[in-house]
Amino acid sequence: MDDKFFLPIATMLAGIVVFVAFAVWYALADKPNPGSLWPVVGVCLAAGGLIVFSGFS
């Protein structure tokens, strides 16, 4: 694999790992707070931002 592909692959995998880790944690939480969506929105934006960044890098 070329070295020029390391950054795009790493950032895409990081975004996927962040999203999956949060989804597993949220699914296994005892009582998720349905009134507060800001953590969910923040994690989705962070994961999506990493994936979009991988497309442009």
Side-chain angles (χ1 to χ4, degrees):
M1 180 172 66
D2 258 346
D3 288 340
K4 67 180 181 179
F5 294 120
F6 179 75
L7 183 64
I9 291 171
T11 54
M12 184 178 71
L13 289 178
I16 292 170
V17 166
V18 166
F19 183 76
V20 169
F22 180 76
V24 168
W25 173 79
Y26 193 76
L28 296 177
D30 289 335
K31 290 191 175 211
N33 186 2
S36 177
L37 290 178
W38 286 112
V40 177
V41 170
V43 169
C44 288
L45 286 174
L50 286 169
I51 292 171
V52 168
F53 176 75
S54 74
F56 289 109
S57 59

